[in-house]
Amino acid sequence: MKEKELERLTNLKELEKDLHQKGFKNICGIDEAGRGPLAGPVVIASVIMPEDSMIEGVNDSKKVSEKKRELLYDKILEEAISYSVAIIGQDVIDEINILNATKMAMREAVANLDPKPNFALVDAVYIEDLGIEQQGFVKGDAKSMSIAAASIVAKVKRDTFMEEMDEKYPEYGFKSNKGYGTKAHMDALREYGPCPIHRLSFLKFLNEE
């Protein structure tokens, strides 16, 4: 591993290092993929990584290429002490809104970890009734190794699902847009209307055009 990458990873683990020194053993990182898209679920991953974990290339999933994310995904799952993924579909998102759906999935992802974590590092939000101590960070996936690992797991899981949905609903181009509101996706919505995995609460603007 190059010295510059080693330094970056060391800095990325400062939050975890500080918490370990304070006596917290199982520290989980929590992140989501899919809060903004017009279609598909929101996917949450929660990951507990070993204290000495130094997987080269782990970073905010948006800063990592698709091919590299898939390689890192396998390494993270292989090395993780525990990981959990929670998926909340478009029907629930429409019913309780995306923020509440995201928090619901975060609570589920943490509850399913084994061993149980005693501290959570979270990207951006505060999760009510989580049951353990937590700290949220804006752009946390660029500040914490655990959150970055979770961001990669969540992103790969959701992208894989959207690629499967592309085969089922090819007219919307989900393989390339992953449900986000690209021009091609918007044009398809205007031509074909929504499909079963679209979030109707996100499409109210179509009725206003």
Side-chain angles (χ1 to χ4, degrees):
M1 187 183 300
K2 293 182 179 179
E3 185 176 343
K4 188 174 181 180
E5 174 67 357
L6 181 60
E7 181 181 358
R8 185 188 70 81
L9 290 173
T10 300
N11 291 335
L12 196 61
K13 294 183 63 174
E14 280 299 314
L15 292 171
E16 286 87 346
K17 180 181 178 182
D18 182 57
L19 288 168
H20 281 300
Q21 290 175 344
K22 290 177 179 177
F24 294 100
K25 184 178 180 182
N26 294 320
I27 301 161
C28 70
I30 308 170
D31 203 2
E32 54 79 22
R35 280 184 70 176
L38 307 179
V42 63
V43 176
I44 307 299
S46 183
V47 181
I48 302 174
M49 299 302 294
E51 187 174 351
D52 60 355
S53 176
M54 293 289 276
I55 300 176
E56 187 173 355
V58 168
N59 203 341
D60 171 0
S61 64
K62 295 182 289 296
K63 297 179 180 178
V64 182
S65 70
E66 182 176 357
K67 184 176 181 180
K68 185 72 177 291
R69 276 197 304 266
E70 291 173 356
L71 293 173
L72 288 170
Y73 172 89
D74 290 336
K75 291 180 180 179
I76 291 165
L77 297 196
E78 181 180 338
E79 193 170 302
I81 293 172
S82 181
Y83 71 92
S84 174
V85 175
I87 300 173
I88 303 293
Q90 67 284 340
D91 291 343
V92 176
I93 292 170
D94 284 339
E95 181 180 351
I96 67 174
N97 79 44
I98 185 61
L99 180 58
N100 288 328
T102 299
K103 290 182 178 182
M104 176 192 291
M106 287 178 167
R107 285 189 286 269
E108 180 183 330
V110 170
N112 289 334
L113 288 170
D114 185 18
K116 300 300 182 187
N118 49 23
F119 200 99
L121 295 170
V122 193
D123 185 47
V125 304
Y126 177 81
I127 312 165
E128 296 83 0
D129 303 317
L130 187 61
I132 59 173
E133 291 190 58
Q134 63 182 291
Q135 190 169 2
F137 299 89
V138 176
K139 297 184 179 178
D141 43 12
K143 299 174 182 176
S144 158
M145 167 77 79
S146 302
I147 299 176
S151 78
I152 290 169
V153 173
K155 175 71 172 164
V156 171
K157 280 284 190 181
R158 188 179 190 280
D159 283 359
T160 299
F161 173 83
M162 293 307 294
E163 287 167 8
E164 292 170 357
M165 290 300 99
D166 182 73
E167 297 179 9
K168 196 169 183 179
Y169 309 108
E171 57 269 32
Y172 300 97
F174 290 143
K175 186 172 183 178
S176 58
N177 63 51
K178 304 299 189 291
Y180 285 89
T182 63
K183 183 181 184 304
H185 186 185
M186 300 291 282
D187 289 344
L189 272 167
R190 293 184 181 97
E191 182 174 355
Y192 303 107
C195 76
I197 68 164
H198 276 102
R199 304 171 182 178
L200 299 183
S201 59
F202 281 46
L203 302 180
K204 294 176 181 178
F205 65 88
L206 289 175
N207 298 325
E208 300 169 358
E209 293 183 349

